Amino acid sequence: MDPEDLRDEIPAVDDTVYLNTGASGPSPRPVVEAATDFLERHEYEAHAAGEPYGMAYHEIGAAREHVAEFVGADTDDLALTNSTADGLSRVAAAVDFEPGETVVYTDLEHPAGILPWERAADVHGLDTQVLETEAGRIDMDAVKDAVSDASLLCVSSLSWNYGTRLPVSEIVDVAHDAGTRVVVDAVQSPGQHPVDVAEWGADAVAGAGHKWVLGLWGAGFLHVDSDFAAALEPRRASYRSVDDPSAPGCELSEGAQKLEIGTVSPAPHVALGTAIDRIRAVGLDTVQARIERLTDRLKEGLGDRLLSPREYESGLVTFRADDPEALVERLGDEGVVIRSLPDGTVRASIHVFNTAADVDRLLGAL
């Protein structure tokens, strides 16, 4: 599939220069249609046939297989969630912490990768520590020191504020050598570059499809290594958390699905399958090559305002602005959508559906 054909399927970019996929990606028509088609079949046909639950569970199973294949996971190790934040929170609430244990997260984390651990600290009497980085770079000696007496480390695969790729596999190896679990916020990775959670080797990886995969809100996923899953003690459970809902007591499922609860709409995950197919049809090699070419163009135009790495790492490009909020508002009025960040910078997100004209429009507006 040609990137221009994908662009033609995205109504949001018909009259707008959309450069904010790092926050939320605009969905192609077929993705939205997949959700609405499922809803109609479920509400009209499945109910008439007396099989609303059967149809829903079938679609949930199909979606699980679709996502698992896309990120290199085993279906038994994959839970379907509402979002990345939801997945991280489910893990944080299920770890059987002891008072006084230490949890570390980096200063690159989104609030979704901070608040669950701070809440766990309040509940369990934990110590939280922040691993400082430099311009989106993580020092491996600092990682080694940080995990030496920590029980868990939370780290992003790709920083939301600089657009830097972090060496997840290397971080996991160092942490595991110290006996420290690793939980990864991977939301900025799927749809930008290949993801193989097995290769990363982390204990848990949380992600979602509403950014670079161009899916709908509500389609998250959580990969949990089988050994880590066995050690988790979820505080919440229901009929999707167990293998046999009618059995006495509450015998939780052995894998990641012990973290699922009950009735949810499969529509976002059905749509996620279509979104994954769209990205695959374009090809991740094409995605990366086009993003690299367009971000090079943008970075050259930004000059010394650029804060992200000059060399290509992702489609996230952060830069300085005198008044970020005012700039974002003015550009929005001109039909150019970017975003400000909490640290007083501005970020543009370049995806495969963007064009050189989009980049030039932003630079011209700046």
Side-chain angles (χ1 to χ4, degrees):
M1 185 178 193
D2 188 88
E4 297 297 334
D5 293 333
L6 177 64
R7 180 182 177 89
D8 288 342
E9 293 183 341
I10 304 175
V13 302
D14 286 348
D15 302 306
T16 301
V17 175
Y18 191 83
L19 302 171
N20 197 23
T21 297
S24 181
S27 295
R29 283 189 185 89
V31 173
V32 177
E33 290 167 356
T36 55
D37 176 67
F38 163 78
L39 289 172
E40 289 184 355
R41 289 186 293 113
H42 184 259
E43 299 306 317
Y44 305 157
E45 300 171 19
H47 279 79
E51 285 292 335
Y53 284 92
M55 177 187 177
Y57 292 157
H58 172 76
E59 293 292 352
I60 288 172
R64 193 189 313 278
E65 292 178 0
H66 223 130
V67 176
E69 184 181 2
F70 190 56
V71 300
D74 188 293
T75 54
D76 290 340
D77 298 331
L78 196 73
L80 300 183
T81 65
N82 299 320
S83 65
T84 306
D86 180 35
L88 293 172
S89 294
R90 294 190 198 195
V91 172
V95 176
D96 194 19
F97 288 115
E98 294 290 338
E101 290 188 45
T102 298
V103 172
V104 178
Y105 52 80
T106 79
D107 60 5
L108 298 173
E109 302 314 304
H110 186 275
I114 297 174
L115 295 173
W117 312 114
E118 291 296 341
R119 179 57 183 158
D122 292 341
V123 171
H124 298 286
L126 308 178
D127 177 35
T128 57
Q129 296 181 6
V130 179
L131 175 58
E132 296 184 355
T133 60
E134 180 66 32
R137 301 295 184 200
I138 195 164
D139 180 79
M140 294 309 301
D141 288 334
V143 172
K144 187 174 182 179
D145 290 341
V147 301
S148 61
D149 60 355
S151 59
L152 188 145
L153 168 67
C154 182
V155 62
S156 292
S157 60
L158 199 159
S159 65
W160 72 297
N161 36 17
Y162 284 95
T164 49
R165 289 198 206 181
L166 276 65
V168 176
S169 298
E170 186 177 353
I171 292 170
V172 169
D173 287 344
V174 170
H176 282 178
D177 284 346
T180 303
R181 302 283 194 184
V182 181
V183 176
V184 178
D185 177 343
V187 73
Q188 298 288 350
S189 289
Q192 276 214 75
H193 61 83
V195 171
D196 188 331
V197 296
E199 182 179 311
W200 282 350
D203 298 277
V205 178
H210 70 283
K211 296 182 187 289
W212 302 90
V213 187
L214 307 180
L216 305 183
W217 289 27
F221 62 87
L222 175 65
H223 175 264
V224 186
D225 176 78
S226 58
D227 289 340
F228 189 36
L232 295 178
E233 294 291 346
R235 272 58 172 178
R236 299 188 304 158
S238 192
Y239 60 86
R240 284 180 60 210
S241 314
V242 299
D243 294 327
D244 183 359
S246 300
C250 181
E251 186 70 28
L252 295 173
S253 300
E254 292 186 358
Q257 292 168 47
K258 70 196 298 183
L259 297 171
E260 298 181 354
I261 304 296
T263 303
V264 295
S265 173
H269 285 96
V270 171
L272 178 57
T274 300
I276 288 172
D277 289 343
R278 277 294 183 273
I279 291 296
R280 280 179 160 166
V282 174
L284 284 171
D285 287 344
T286 298
V287 170
Q288 292 184 101
R290 188 174 175 103
I291 292 176
E292 179 175 5
R293 185 167 64 253
L294 293 177
T295 52
D296 283 350
R297 187 184 189 98
L298 175 57
K299 291 172 180 178
E300 182 178 355
L302 288 171
D304 59 9
R305 290 172 291 185
L306 178 67
L307 294 172
S308 293
R310 181 63 186 83
E311 298 301 316
Y312 164 73
E313 293 188 38
S314 75
L316 298 173
V317 179
T318 302
F319 56 95
R320 298 182 185 87
D322 292 335
D323 189 338
E325 298 292 342
L327 175 63
V328 170
E329 183 176 357
R330 177 175 67 81
L331 292 184
D333 291 341
E334 297 177 18
V336 179
V337 179
I338 59 173
R339 69 158 294 178
S340 60
L341 296 179
D343 62 0
T345 61
V346 179
R347 189 189 73 191
S349 304
I350 308 295
H351 203 359
V352 69
F353 62 79
N354 289 120
T355 65
D358 288 343
V359 172
D360 293 345
R361 177 94 173 269
L362 171 59
L363 291 171
L366 291 174

